[in-house]
Tab-separated table of all heavy atoms in Angstrom:
chain	number	residue	atom	x	y	z
A	80	GLU	N	158.724	183.989	57.438
A	80	GLU	CA	157.799	182.855	57.372
A	80	GLU	C	158.546	181.611	56.863
A	80	GLU	O	158.249	180.489	57.246
A	80	GLU	CB	156.645	183.223	56.436
A	80	GLU	CG	155.513	182.232	56.483
A	80	GLU	CD	154.281	182.739	55.753
A	80	GLU	OE1	154.205	183.943	55.413
A	80	GLU	OE2	153.385	181.915	55.504
A	81	TYR	N	159.496	181.849	55.979
A	81	TYR	CA	160.294	180.746	55.416
A	81	TYR	C	161.772	181.093	55.552
A	81	TYR	O	162.151	182.250	55.379
A	81	TYR	CB	159.976	180.553	53.928
A	81	TYR	CG	158.523	180.293	53.664
A	81	TYR	CD1	157.708	181.299	53.141
A	81	TYR	CD2	157.950	179.056	53.954
A	81	TYR	CE1	156.360	181.078	52.912
A	81	TYR	CE2	156.602	178.826	53.727
A	81	TYR	CZ	155.818	179.840	53.206
A	81	TYR	OH	154.484	179.612	52.994
A	82	VAL	N	162.563	180.077	55.813
A	82	VAL	CA	164.018	180.270	55.860
A	82	VAL	C	164.663	179.252	54.936
A	82	VAL	O	164.392	178.048	55.046
A	82	VAL	CB	164.553	180.114	57.309
A	82	VAL	CG1	166.074	180.092	57.331
A	82	VAL	CG2	164.031	181.252	58.189
A	83	ILE	N	165.454	179.739	53.985
A	83	ILE	CA	166.195	178.829	53.102
A	83	ILE	C	167.657	178.919	53.544
A	83	ILE	O	168.325	179.933	53.330
A	83	ILE	CB	166.005	179.217	51.613
A	83	ILE	CG1	164.499	179.220	51.262
A	83	ILE	CG2	166.771	178.251	50.717
A	83	ILE	CD1	164.174	179.432	49.801
A	84	HIS	N	168.113	177.856	54.203
A	84	HIS	CA	169.453	177.906	54.799
A	84	HIS	C	170.472	177.266	53.850
A	84	HIS	O	170.586	176.050	53.757
A	84	HIS	CB	169.449	177.198	56.156
A	84	HIS	CG	170.801	177.159	56.787
A	84	HIS	ND1	171.673	178.234	56.771
A	84	HIS	CD2	171.460	176.161	57.444
A	84	HIS	CE1	172.786	177.899	57.381
A	84	HIS	NE2	172.697	176.648	57.792
A	85	VAL	N	171.191	178.141	53.165
A	85	VAL	CA	172.142	177.701	52.136
A	85	VAL	C	173.587	177.818	52.630
A	85	VAL	O	174.446	177.010	52.273
A	85	VAL	CB	171.987	178.547	50.842
A	85	VAL	CG1	172.726	177.899	49.686
A	85	VAL	CG2	170.529	178.760	50.477
A	86	ALA	N	173.873	178.836	53.445
A	86	ALA	CA	175.261	179.144	53.835
A	86	ALA	C	175.952	177.957	54.499
A	86	ALA	O	175.404	177.327	55.385
A	86	ALA	CB	175.284	180.338	54.791
A	87	SER	N	177.131	177.667	54.037
A	87	SER	CA	177.973	176.616	54.624
A	87	SER	C	179.318	176.695	53.913
A	87	SER	O	179.365	177.036	52.727
A	87	SER	CB	177.335	175.249	54.370
A	87	SER	OG	177.759	174.308	55.322
A	88	PRO	N	180.408	176.372	54.588
A	88	PRO	CA	181.703	176.440	53.896
A	88	PRO	C	181.780	175.403	52.774
A	88	PRO	O	181.416	174.245	52.992
A	88	PRO	CB	182.709	176.103	55.000
A	88	PRO	CG	181.964	176.160	56.287
A	88	PRO	CD	180.523	175.953	55.982
A	89	PHE	N	182.238	175.836	51.601
A	89	PHE	CA	182.393	174.916	50.467
A	89	PHE	C	183.765	175.157	49.840
A	89	PHE	O	183.888	175.772	48.787
A	89	PHE	CB	181.256	175.139	49.451
A	89	PHE	CG	181.247	174.136	48.323
A	89	PHE	CD1	181.608	172.815	48.537
A	89	PHE	CD2	180.857	174.513	47.045
A	89	PHE	CE1	181.598	171.894	47.502
A	89	PHE	CE2	180.839	173.596	46.006
A	89	PHE	CZ	181.212	172.281	46.226
A	90	PRO	N	184.813	174.704	50.523
A	90	PRO	CA	186.182	175.002	50.066
A	90	PRO	C	186.626	174.103	48.922
A	90	PRO	O	186.116	172.980	48.779
A	90	PRO	CB	187.018	174.710	51.320
A	90	PRO	CG	186.255	173.662	52.043
A	90	PRO	CD	184.799	173.845	51.723
A	91	SER	N	187.570	174.587	48.125
A	91	SER	CA	188.077	173.751	47.023
A	91	SER	C	189.313	172.962	47.443
A	91	SER	O	189.851	172.177	46.683
A	91	SER	CB	188.379	174.608	45.789
A	91	SER	OG	189.322	175.582	46.124
A	92	THR	N	189.772	173.208	48.677
A	92	THR	CA	190.878	172.396	49.201
A	92	THR	C	190.488	171.925	50.598
A	92	THR	O	189.685	172.576	51.263
A	92	THR	CB	192.180	173.223	49.308
A	92	THR	OG1	191.929	174.356	50.134
A	92	THR	CG2	192.668	173.687	47.952
A	93	SER	N	191.051	170.788	51.008
A	93	SER	CA	190.726	170.275	52.341
A	93	SER	C	191.536	171.013	53.396
A	93	SER	O	192.745	171.170	53.236
A	93	SER	CB	191.057	168.784	52.402
A	93	SER	OG	189.885	168.044	52.313
A	94	PRO	N	190.905	171.477	54.481
A	94	PRO	CA	191.677	172.176	55.516
A	94	PRO	C	192.540	171.195	56.307
A	94	PRO	O	192.241	170.003	56.347
A	94	PRO	CB	190.580	172.761	56.411
A	94	PRO	CG	189.421	171.846	56.225
A	94	PRO	CD	189.504	171.285	54.830
A	95	GLN	N	193.588	171.718	56.929
A	95	GLN	CA	194.444	170.881	57.793
A	95	GLN	C	193.612	170.270	58.913
A	95	GLN	O	193.702	169.095	59.204
A	95	GLN	CB	195.534	171.765	58.426
A	95	GLN	CG	196.548	172.298	57.451
A	95	GLN	CD	197.857	171.565	57.594
A	95	GLN	OE1	198.360	171.411	58.691
A	95	GLN	NE2	198.407	171.109	56.479
A	96	ASP	N	192.769	171.134	59.512
A	96	ASP	CA	191.922	170.675	60.610
A	96	ASP	C	190.479	170.628	60.091
A	96	ASP	O	189.896	171.666	59.755
A	96	ASP	CB	192.051	171.673	61.774
A	96	ASP	CG	191.083	171.361	62.902
A	96	ASP	OD1	190.383	170.331	62.837
A	96	ASP	OD2	191.024	172.169	63.855
A	97	GLU	N	189.886	169.426	60.049
A	97	GLU	CA	188.541	169.275	59.464
A	97	GLU	C	187.491	170.114	60.198
A	97	GLU	O	186.478	170.491	59.620
A	97	GLU	CB	188.128	167.799	59.411
A	97	GLU	CG	188.019	167.118	60.747
A	97	GLU	CD	187.524	165.681	60.645
A	97	GLU	OE1	187.566	165.088	59.564
A	97	GLU	OE2	187.081	165.157	61.692
A	98	ASN	N	187.770	170.441	61.460
A	98	ASN	CA	186.789	171.236	62.214
A	98	ASN	C	186.637	172.656	61.691
A	98	ASN	O	185.654	173.322	61.990
A	98	ASN	CB	187.149	171.246	63.701
A	98	ASN	CG	186.722	169.928	64.309
A	98	ASN	OD1	185.612	169.453	64.064
A	98	ASN	ND2	187.614	169.304	65.053
A	99	GLU	N	187.622	173.104	60.902
A	99	GLU	CA	187.505	174.446	60.296
A	99	GLU	C	186.247	174.537	59.438
A	99	GLU	O	185.675	175.605	59.267
A	99	GLU	CB	188.713	174.724	59.400
A	99	GLU	CG	189.880	175.318	60.122
A	99	GLU	CD	191.051	175.508	59.186
A	99	GLU	OE1	190.871	175.952	58.039
A	99	GLU	OE2	192.171	175.165	59.613
A	100	ILE	N	185.842	173.407	58.826
A	100	ILE	CA	184.596	173.466	58.044
A	100	ILE	C	183.429	172.748	58.732
A	100	ILE	O	182.293	173.141	58.573
A	100	ILE	CB	184.771	172.980	56.581
A	100	ILE	CG1	185.393	171.586	56.511
A	100	ILE	CG2	185.532	173.968	55.767
A	100	ILE	CD1	185.441	171.062	55.075
A	101	ILE	N	183.751	171.730	59.519
A	101	ILE	CA	182.654	170.982	60.168
A	101	ILE	C	181.953	171.870	61.203
A	101	ILE	O	180.723	171.914	61.262
A	101	ILE	CB	183.168	169.676	60.813
A	101	ILE	CG1	183.638	168.718	59.710
A	101	ILE	CG2	182.086	169.015	61.665
A	101	ILE	CD1	184.293	167.441	60.195
A	102	ARG	N	182.739	172.605	61.984
A	102	ARG	CA	182.130	173.405	63.053
A	102	ARG	C	181.168	174.472	62.506
A	102	ARG	O	180.002	174.496	62.925
A	102	ARG	CB	183.207	174.026	63.948
A	102	ARG	CG	182.598	174.573	65.235
A	102	ARG	CD	183.626	174.972	66.278
A	102	ARG	NE	184.443	173.875	66.728
A	102	ARG	CZ	185.785	173.912	66.826
A	102	ARG	NH1	186.444	174.993	66.490
A	102	ARG	NH2	186.449	172.868	67.269
A	103	PRO	N	181.608	175.317	61.555
A	103	PRO	CA	180.628	176.306	61.062
A	103	PRO	C	179.419	175.660	60.385
A	103	PRO	O	178.304	176.172	60.478
A	103	PRO	CB	181.422	177.166	60.065
A	103	PRO	CG	182.750	176.549	59.928
A	103	PRO	CD	182.944	175.551	61.024
A	104	ALA	N	179.632	174.512	59.726
A	104	ALA	CA	178.502	173.857	59.037
A	104	ALA	C	177.473	173.355	60.058
A	104	ALA	O	176.274	173.628	59.938
A	104	ALA	CB	179.015	172.698	58.179
A	105	VAL	N	177.967	172.652	61.079
A	105	VAL	CA	177.046	172.016	62.039
A	105	VAL	C	176.524	173.045	63.053
A	105	VAL	O	175.313	173.195	63.224
A	105	VAL	CB	177.743	170.837	62.756
A	105	VAL	CG1	176.805	170.191	63.767
A	105	VAL	CG2	178.209	169.802	61.733
A	106	GLU	N	177.449	173.768	63.683
A	106	GLU	CA	177.000	174.764	64.677
A	106	GLU	C	176.212	175.870	63.991
A	106	GLU	O	175.246	176.385	64.535
A	106	GLU	CB	178.209	175.366	65.406
A	106	GLU	CG	178.751	174.413	66.454
A	106	GLU	CD	179.923	175.004	67.244
A	106	GLU	OE1	180.146	176.244	67.222
A	106	GLU	OE2	180.627	174.208	67.863
A	107	GLY	N	176.624	176.221	62.796
A	107	GLY	CA	175.916	177.258	62.029
A	107	GLY	C	174.474	176.832	61.762
A	107	GLY	O	173.536	177.613	61.944
A	108	THR	N	174.285	175.584	61.371
A	108	THR	CA	172.926	175.086	61.111
A	108	THR	C	172.115	175.119	62.403
A	108	THR	O	170.973	175.602	62.420
A	108	THR	CB	172.999	173.642	60.530
A	108	THR	OG1	173.717	173.711	59.295
A	108	THR	CG2	171.623	173.056	60.295
A	109	THR	N	172.715	174.669	63.488
A	109	THR	CA	172.000	174.675	64.771
A	109	THR	C	171.676	176.113	65.192
A	109	THR	O	170.570	176.386	65.672
A	109	THR	CB	172.857	173.981	65.855
A	109	THR	OG1	173.321	172.754	65.308
A	109	THR	CG2	172.049	173.689	67.101
A	110	ASN	N	172.618	177.024	64.977
A	110	ASN	CA	172.363	178.430	65.331
A	110	ASN	C	171.179	178.996	64.551
A	110	ASN	O	170.310	179.664	65.112
A	110	ASN	CB	173.614	179.286	65.058
A	110	ASN	CG	174.717	179.023	66.068
A	110	ASN	OD1	174.468	178.468	67.135
A	110	ASN	ND2	175.944	179.414	65.732
A	111	VAL	N	171.154	178.720	63.244
A	111	VAL	CA	170.049	179.225	62.412
A	111	VAL	C	168.728	178.596	62.888
A	111	VAL	O	167.713	179.289	63.043
A	111	VAL	CB	170.299	178.915	60.917
A	111	VAL	CG1	169.083	179.255	60.071
A	111	VAL	CG2	171.527	179.670	60.409
A	112	PHE	N	168.737	177.302	63.156
A	112	PHE	CA	167.503	176.612	63.563
A	112	PHE	C	167.029	177.096	64.941
A	112	PHE	O	165.835	177.231	65.177
A	112	PHE	CB	167.712	175.083	63.557
A	112	PHE	CG	167.575	174.472	62.182
A	112	PHE	CD1	168.238	175.008	61.088
A	112	PHE	CD2	166.773	173.357	61.977
A	112	PHE	CE1	168.118	174.450	59.818
A	112	PHE	CE2	166.629	172.790	60.711
A	112	PHE	CZ	167.309	173.333	59.629
A	113	LYS	N	167.983	177.380	65.838
A	113	LYS	CA	167.597	177.897	67.166
A	113	LYS	C	166.883	179.246	67.011
A	113	LYS	O	165.876	179.502	67.656
A	113	LYS	CB	168.847	178.091	68.038
A	113	LYS	CG	169.307	176.822	68.732
A	113	LYS	CD	170.509	177.154	69.638
A	113	LYS	CE	171.058	175.886	70.263
A	113	LYS	NZ	172.410	176.075	70.801
A	114	ALA	N	167.440	180.085	66.149
A	114	ALA	CA	166.832	181.403	65.926
A	114	ALA	C	165.443	181.241	65.316
A	114	ALA	O	164.514	181.986	65.654
A	114	ALA	CB	167.732	182.251	65.027
A	115	CYS	N	165.288	180.259	64.431
A	115	CYS	CA	163.970	180.010	63.813
A	115	CYS	C	162.956	179.609	64.876
A	115	CYS	O	161.815	180.085	64.885
A	115	CYS	CB	164.052	178.902	62.761
A	115	CYS	SG	164.981	179.366	61.304
A	116	ALA	N	163.377	178.728	65.778
A	116	ALA	CA	162.453	178.254	66.815
A	116	ALA	C	162.067	179.424	67.736
A	116	ALA	O	160.916	179.546	68.144
A	116	ALA	CB	163.110	177.139	67.616
A	117	LYS	N	163.036	180.290	68.009
A	117	LYS	CA	162.795	181.430	68.901
A	117	LYS	C	161.861	182.465	68.260
A	117	LYS	O	161.036	183.071	68.936
A	117	LYS	CB	164.158	182.080	69.203
A	117	LYS	CG	164.214	182.899	70.452
A	117	LYS	CD	165.683	183.214	70.748
A	117	LYS	CE	165.840	184.481	71.523
A	117	LYS	NZ	167.232	184.940	71.542
A	118	ALA	N	161.987	182.599	66.950
A	118	ALA	CA	161.242	183.654	66.249
A	118	ALA	C	159.736	183.417	66.271
A	118	ALA	O	158.948	184.361	66.229
A	118	ALA	CB	161.735	183.761	64.809
A	119	LYS	N	159.325	182.167	66.285
A	119	LYS	CA	157.907	181.773	66.316
A	119	LYS	C	157.126	182.181	65.055
A	119	LYS	O	155.907	182.077	65.028
A	119	LYS	CB	157.184	182.353	67.552
A	119	LYS	CG	157.857	182.085	68.874
A	119	LYS	CD	157.039	181.099	69.701
A	119	LYS	CE	157.611	180.834	71.071
A	119	LYS	NZ	158.712	179.909	71.115
A	120	SER	N	157.787	182.690	64.054
A	120	SER	CA	157.075	183.072	62.833
A	120	SER	C	157.393	182.107	61.683
A	120	SER	O	156.721	182.105	60.660
A	120	SER	CB	157.493	184.493	62.409
A	120	SER	OG	158.897	184.536	62.218
A	121	VAL	N	158.427	181.275	61.860
A	121	VAL	CA	158.906	180.435	60.738
A	121	VAL	C	158.048	179.173	60.609
A	121	VAL	O	157.886	178.418	61.563
A	121	VAL	CB	160.396	180.038	60.948
A	121	VAL	CG1	160.883	179.145	59.804
A	121	VAL	CG2	161.268	181.279	61.069
A	122	LYS	N	157.505	178.978	59.380
A	122	LYS	CA	156.672	177.793	59.136
A	122	LYS	C	157.502	176.640	58.605
A	122	LYS	O	157.281	175.497	58.917
A	122	LYS	CB	155.625	178.129	58.062
A	122	LYS	CG	154.448	178.915	58.552
A	122	LYS	CD	153.431	178.972	57.430
A	122	LYS	CE	152.269	179.868	57.778
A	122	LYS	NZ	151.663	180.417	56.565
A	123	ARG	N	158.407	176.981	57.707
A	123	ARG	CA	159.196	175.897	57.088
A	123	ARG	C	160.626	176.361	56.823
A	123	ARG	O	160.847	177.511	56.428
A	123	ARG	CB	158.555	175.455	55.774
A	123	ARG	CG	159.228	174.205	55.200
A	123	ARG	CD	158.615	173.736	53.900
A	123	ARG	NE	157.271	173.193	54.052
A	123	ARG	CZ	156.602	172.589	53.063
A	123	ARG	NH1	157.167	172.470	51.870
A	123	ARG	NH2	155.379	172.132	53.249
A	124	ILE	N	161.554	175.440	57.030
A	124	ILE	CA	162.956	175.696	56.681
A	124	ILE	C	163.298	174.775	55.513
A	124	ILE	O	162.942	173.591	55.519
A	124	ILE	CB	163.917	175.381	57.851
A	124	ILE	CG1	163.521	176.173	59.112
A	124	ILE	CG2	165.367	175.673	57.455
A	124	ILE	CD1	164.304	175.779	60.372
A	125	VAL	N	163.955	175.333	54.508
A	125	VAL	CA	164.510	174.504	53.432
A	125	VAL	C	166.022	174.521	53.636
A	125	VAL	O	166.638	175.590	53.683
A	125	VAL	CB	164.151	175.053	52.031
A	125	VAL	CG1	164.748	174.172	50.939
A	125	VAL	CG2	162.635	175.156	51.864
A	126	LEU	N	166.602	173.337	53.783
A	126	LEU	CA	168.044	173.249	54.048
A	126	LEU	C	168.773	172.750	52.808
A	126	LEU	O	168.374	171.749	52.200
A	126	LEU	CB	168.290	172.265	55.206
A	126	LEU	CG	169.759	171.902	55.464
A	126	LEU	CD1	170.507	173.062	56.121
A	126	LEU	CD2	169.860	170.651	56.344
Side-chain angles (χ1 to χ4, degrees):
E80 190 169 347
Y81 303 104
V82 171
I83 303 187
H84 177 41
V85 193
S87 204
F89 186 36
S91 59
T92 57
S93 257
Q95 292 254 311
D96 174 5
E97 62 176 18
N98 282 314
E99 273 178 42
I100 54 175
I101 293 174
R102 193 169 298 132
V105 179
E106 283 182 16
T108 299
T109 312
N110 288 343
V111 172
F112 278 49
K113 277 183 184 163
C115 291
K117 202 168 153 193
K119 308 250 183 281
S120 58
V121 179
K122 281 189 186 153
R123 188 180 291 188
I124 304 172
V125 180
L126 171 73

